[in-house]
Protein backbone atom coordinates (compact mmCIF):
# COMPACT_ATOMS: atom_id res chain seq x y z
CA UNK A 1 0.00 0.00 0.00
CA UNK A 2 1.14 3.59 -0.55
CA UNK A 3 2.10 5.84 2.31
CA UNK A 4 -0.81 7.34 4.19
CA UNK A 5 -1.36 10.92 5.32
CA UNK A 6 -2.61 12.07 8.69
CA UNK A 7 -6.33 12.71 9.10
CA UNK A 8 -7.24 16.35 9.64
CA UNK A 9 -10.15 17.36 11.82
CA UNK A 10 -13.36 17.56 9.79
CA UNK A 11 -15.93 20.10 11.03
CA UNK A 12 -19.03 18.50 12.58
CA UNK A 13 -22.37 18.43 10.84
CA UNK A 14 -25.14 20.83 11.84
CA UNK A 15 -28.06 19.35 13.83
CA UNK A 16 -30.62 17.48 11.74
CA UNK A 17 -33.21 20.23 12.12
CA UNK A 18 -30.72 22.72 10.67
CA UNK A 19 -29.88 20.30 7.87
CA UNK A 20 -33.55 20.06 6.97
CA UNK A 21 -33.82 23.84 6.80
CA UNK A 22 -30.71 23.99 4.62
CA UNK A 23 -32.22 21.56 2.11
CA UNK A 24 -35.46 23.53 2.11
CA UNK A 25 -33.57 26.80 1.59
CA UNK A 26 -31.82 25.26 -1.43
CA UNK A 27 -35.07 23.91 -2.84
CA UNK A 28 -33.96 20.27 -2.64
CA UNK A 29 -37.33 19.26 -1.20
CA UNK A 30 -39.08 20.68 -4.27
CA UNK A 31 -36.70 18.85 -6.62
CA UNK A 32 -37.49 15.65 -4.71
CA UNK A 33 -41.23 16.24 -4.54
CA UNK A 34 -41.17 16.13 -0.73
CA UNK A 35 -43.23 18.69 1.25
CA UNK A 36 -41.14 20.93 3.50
CA UNK A 37 -43.14 19.86 6.55
CA UNK A 38 -42.42 16.20 5.79
CA UNK A 39 -38.70 16.94 5.66
CA UNK A 40 -38.86 18.83 8.97
CA UNK A 41 -40.85 16.04 10.60
CA UNK A 42 -38.36 13.40 9.45
CA UNK A 43 -35.48 15.39 10.94
CA UNK A 44 -37.32 15.85 14.23
CA UNK A 45 -38.32 12.19 14.52
CA UNK A 46 -34.89 10.94 13.47
CA UNK A 47 -33.09 12.59 16.36
CA UNK A 48 -33.74 16.31 16.28
CA UNK A 49 -30.89 18.39 17.62
CA UNK A 50 -28.92 15.49 19.08
CA UNK A 51 -28.03 13.29 16.12
CA UNK A 52 -24.60 13.62 14.49
CA UNK A 53 -25.70 12.17 11.16
CA UNK A 54 -26.19 13.34 7.60
CA UNK A 55 -29.72 13.84 6.29
CA UNK A 56 -29.80 12.52 2.72
CA UNK A 57 -32.41 12.45 -0.01
CA UNK A 58 -32.45 9.20 -1.97
CA UNK A 59 -30.69 9.64 -5.35
CA UNK A 60 -33.78 8.25 -7.09
CA UNK A 61 -35.55 11.44 -5.95
CA UNK A 62 -32.78 13.96 -6.69
CA UNK A 63 -29.88 12.96 -8.98
CA UNK A 64 -26.32 14.19 -8.64
CA UNK A 65 -26.66 16.44 -11.70
CA UNK A 66 -29.36 18.45 -9.88
CA UNK A 67 -27.48 18.62 -6.57
CA UNK A 68 -24.03 19.60 -7.87
CA UNK A 69 -24.99 23.16 -8.98
CA UNK A 70 -26.26 23.85 -5.45
CA UNK A 71 -22.76 23.49 -4.03
CA UNK A 72 -20.96 26.76 -3.25
CA UNK A 73 -17.37 27.73 -2.51
CA UNK A 74 -16.16 31.32 -2.57
CA UNK A 75 -19.57 32.23 -4.05
CA UNK A 76 -18.96 29.96 -7.02
CA UNK A 77 -21.49 27.24 -7.85
CA UNK A 78 -20.57 23.60 -8.12
CA UNK A 79 -20.53 21.78 -11.44
CA UNK A 80 -20.13 18.38 -13.07
CA UNK A 81 -17.16 17.98 -15.40
CA UNK A 82 -18.05 18.18 -19.08
CA UNK A 83 -16.81 14.66 -19.84
CA UNK A 84 -19.21 13.10 -17.32
CA UNK A 85 -22.59 13.61 -19.04
CA UNK A 86 -23.65 10.20 -17.73
CA UNK A 87 -23.15 11.19 -14.07
CA UNK A 88 -26.70 10.17 -13.13
CA UNK A 89 -26.12 6.67 -14.45
CA UNK A 90 -23.61 6.01 -11.67
CA UNK A 91 -25.54 3.94 -9.13
CA UNK A 92 -24.84 2.14 -5.85
CA UNK A 93 -22.85 -1.06 -6.33
CA UNK A 94 -22.56 -3.50 -3.46
CA UNK A 95 -24.53 -1.10 -1.26
CA UNK A 96 -28.12 -1.29 -0.09
CA UNK A 97 -29.62 2.18 0.28
CA UNK A 98 -32.71 2.48 2.50
CA UNK A 99 -35.94 2.14 0.54
CA UNK A 100 -37.18 5.56 1.61
CA UNK A 101 -37.05 9.07 0.14
CA UNK A 102 -35.17 10.34 3.22
CA UNK A 103 -32.56 8.56 5.30
CA UNK A 104 -29.58 9.15 7.57
CA UNK A 105 -25.90 8.42 6.93
CA UNK A 106 -23.94 7.81 10.15
CA UNK A 107 -20.28 7.96 11.13
CA UNK A 108 -18.97 10.01 8.21
CA UNK A 109 -15.25 10.03 7.48
CA UNK A 110 -13.39 11.79 4.66
CA UNK A 111 -10.74 9.09 4.48
CA UNK A 112 -7.72 11.39 4.60
CA UNK A 113 -5.59 8.48 5.81
CA UNK A 114 -6.21 6.81 2.45
CA UNK A 115 -5.03 9.75 0.36
CA UNK A 116 -2.81 8.46 -2.45
CA UNK A 117 -4.58 5.09 -2.45
CA UNK A 118 -6.44 3.89 -5.53
CA UNK A 119 -10.14 2.98 -5.30
CA UNK A 120 -9.09 -0.58 -6.04
CA UNK A 121 -6.91 -0.54 -2.92
CA UNK A 122 -9.30 1.42 -0.72
CA UNK A 123 -12.49 -0.61 -1.15
CA UNK A 124 -11.24 -3.83 0.50
CA UNK A 125 -9.66 -1.79 3.29
CA UNK A 126 -12.96 -0.03 4.00
CA UNK A 127 -14.77 -3.37 3.93
CA UNK A 128 -12.30 -4.81 6.42
CA UNK A 129 -12.97 -1.82 8.69
CA UNK A 130 -16.71 -2.54 8.37
CA UNK A 131 -17.26 0.82 6.74
CA UNK A 132 -19.37 1.54 3.66
CA UNK A 133 -18.17 3.89 0.91
CA UNK A 134 -20.36 6.89 0.19
CA UNK A 135 -22.38 7.09 -2.99
CA UNK A 136 -22.01 10.29 -4.98
CA UNK A 137 -25.27 11.94 -3.88
CA UNK A 138 -24.34 11.38 -0.22
CA UNK A 139 -20.99 13.04 -0.76
CA UNK A 140 -22.68 16.04 -2.34
CA UNK A 141 -25.18 16.24 0.54
CA UNK A 142 -22.26 16.25 2.97
CA UNK A 143 -20.61 19.23 1.26
CA UNK A 144 -23.96 21.02 0.97
CA UNK A 145 -24.38 20.78 4.74
CA UNK A 146 -20.75 21.38 5.68
CA UNK A 147 -18.84 23.16 2.87
CA UNK A 148 -15.67 23.19 4.98
CA UNK A 149 -15.37 19.43 4.52
CA UNK A 150 -13.98 20.18 1.05
CA UNK A 151 -10.46 21.59 1.46
CA UNK A 152 -7.53 22.12 -0.82
CA UNK A 153 -5.52 18.88 -0.89
CA UNK A 154 -8.15 17.16 1.27
CA UNK A 155 -11.09 16.13 -0.90
CA UNK A 156 -12.66 12.72 -1.44
CA UNK A 157 -13.93 10.04 -3.78
CA UNK A 158 -17.37 8.45 -3.54
CA UNK A 159 -16.64 4.96 -4.78
CA UNK A 160 -19.98 3.52 -3.66
CA UNK A 161 -21.31 4.75 -7.01
CA UNK A 162 -20.25 2.92 -10.15
CA UNK A 163 -21.46 2.74 -13.73
CA UNK A 164 -22.38 -0.70 -14.98
CA UNK A 165 -21.96 -1.13 -18.72
CA UNK A 166 -24.43 -2.88 -21.01
CA UNK A 167 -22.23 -6.01 -20.95
CA UNK A 168 -22.39 -6.16 -17.15
CA UNK A 169 -18.86 -4.99 -16.43
CA UNK A 170 -18.11 -1.89 -14.38
CA UNK A 171 -16.85 1.32 -15.98
CA UNK A 172 -13.31 2.16 -14.83
CA UNK A 173 -14.34 5.66 -13.73
CA UNK A 174 -15.15 6.41 -10.09
CA UNK A 175 -16.85 9.65 -8.95
CA UNK A 176 -15.12 12.18 -6.73
CA UNK A 177 -15.71 15.67 -5.35
CA UNK A 178 -12.87 18.16 -5.25
CA UNK A 179 -11.97 21.80 -5.93
CA UNK A 180 -11.39 23.03 -9.46
CA UNK A 181 -8.10 24.69 -10.37
CA UNK A 182 -9.83 26.50 -13.22
CA UNK A 183 -7.66 24.79 -15.82
CA UNK A 184 -8.51 23.05 -19.07
CA UNK A 185 -12.15 22.63 -19.90
CA UNK A 186 -13.24 23.72 -16.40
CA UNK A 187 -12.56 27.34 -17.40
CA UNK A 188 -10.76 30.03 -15.39
CA UNK A 189 -14.04 31.37 -14.05
CA UNK A 190 -14.52 28.09 -12.18
CA UNK A 191 -11.27 28.24 -10.24
CA UNK A 192 -11.95 27.28 -6.60
CA UNK A 193 -15.48 26.05 -7.40
CA UNK A 194 -16.66 22.65 -6.06
CA UNK A 195 -16.30 20.04 -8.77
CA UNK A 196 -17.89 16.64 -9.37
CA UNK A 197 -15.57 14.61 -11.53
CA UNK A 198 -14.11 11.17 -11.87
CA UNK A 199 -10.90 9.22 -11.43
CA UNK A 200 -9.74 5.88 -12.77
CA UNK A 201 -10.36 2.81 -10.59
CA UNK A 202 -6.67 1.93 -10.49
CA UNK A 203 -5.15 5.42 -10.12
CA UNK A 204 -3.91 7.20 -6.99
CA UNK A 205 -4.33 10.89 -6.17
CA UNK A 206 -2.56 12.59 -3.28
CA UNK A 207 -5.41 15.04 -2.65
CA UNK A 208 -8.26 12.51 -2.61
CA UNK A 209 -9.34 10.37 0.31
CA UNK A 210 -12.37 8.11 0.35
CA UNK A 211 -15.66 9.23 1.85
CA UNK A 212 -17.25 6.49 3.95
CA UNK A 213 -19.76 5.88 6.72
CA UNK A 214 -20.56 3.37 9.44
CA UNK A 215 -24.08 2.84 8.12
CA UNK A 216 -27.44 4.12 6.89
CA UNK A 217 -30.87 4.12 8.48
CA UNK A 218 -34.34 5.61 8.05
Amino acid sequence: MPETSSTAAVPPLPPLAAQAERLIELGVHELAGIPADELRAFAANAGGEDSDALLAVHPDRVPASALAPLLRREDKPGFVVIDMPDVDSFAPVGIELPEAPLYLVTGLDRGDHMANWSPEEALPALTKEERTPLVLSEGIHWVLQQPAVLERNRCFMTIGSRLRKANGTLDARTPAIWISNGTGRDGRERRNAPKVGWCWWGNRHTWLGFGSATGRKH
Side-chain angles (χ1 to χ4, degrees):
M1 290 293 180
E3 293 182 4
T4 59
S5 63
S6 60
T7 298
V10 175
L13 282 162
L16 287 174
Q19 292 186 45
E21 294 303 325
R22 173 67 172 155
L23 294 178
I24 292 166
E25 173 192 347
L26 293 170
V28 174
H29 67 302
E30 294 177 341
L31 293 172
I34 300 172
D37 288 346
E38 183 178 328
L39 187 53
R40 292 187 178 107
F42 177 85
N45 295 332
E49 300 295 317
D50 302 320
S51 180
D52 183 21
L54 176 68
L55 173 55
V57 179
H58 198 287
D60 285 351
R61 289 296 192 102
V62 184
S65 63
L67 290 173
L70 303 178
L71 295 169
R72 288 290 185 281
R73 187 175 186 276
E74 298 185 4
D75 292 326
K76 295 183 178 181
F79 67 99
V80 179
V81 293
I82 195 170
D83 57 353
M84 202 178 184
D86 51 1
V87 62
D88 292 336
S89 296
F90 283 73
V93 170
I95 292 170
E96 293 287 337
L97 296 185
E99 293 183 2
L102 301 169
Y103 65 96
L104 300 181
V105 187
T106 58
L108 291 172
D109 182 74
R110 193 170 57 188
D112 294 354
H113 64 293
M114 291 182 175
N116 206 32
W117 291 36
S118 70
E120 187 174 24
E121 294 163 336
L123 183 58
L126 290 172
T127 302
K128 186 176 181 180
E129 294 173 8
E130 297 185 346
R131 297 190 62 83
T132 175
L134 297 184
V135 300
L136 177 56
S137 62
E138 293 169 348
I140 297 175
H141 272 88
W142 192 10
V143 182
L144 284 174
Q145 296 291 354
Q146 182 49 276
V149 78
L150 210 61
E151 300 179 70
R152 279 282 177 197
N153 301 316
R154 285 195 172 95
C155 301
F156 60 95
M157 297 191 205
T158 54
I159 62 173
S161 293
R162 301 290 303 276
L163 175 62
R164 194 172 294 280
K165 299 178 182 179
N167 64 6
T169 63
L170 291 172
D171 191 280
R173 295 171 295 166
T174 55
I177 307 170
W178 71 96
I179 300 168
S180 175
N181 285 326
T183 56
R185 289 186 288 181
D186 286 2
R188 286 181 295 176
E189 69 281 1
R190 282 175 164 164
R191 177 171 171 77
N192 295 324
K195 170 179 178 176
V196 173
W198 57 270
C199 305
W200 296 119
W201 179 251
N203 285 9
R204 300 169 179 169
H205 299 277
T206 57
W207 71 93
L208 290 173
F210 293 84
S212 68
T214 54
R216 299 170 177 87
K217 59 184 180 180
H218 66 91

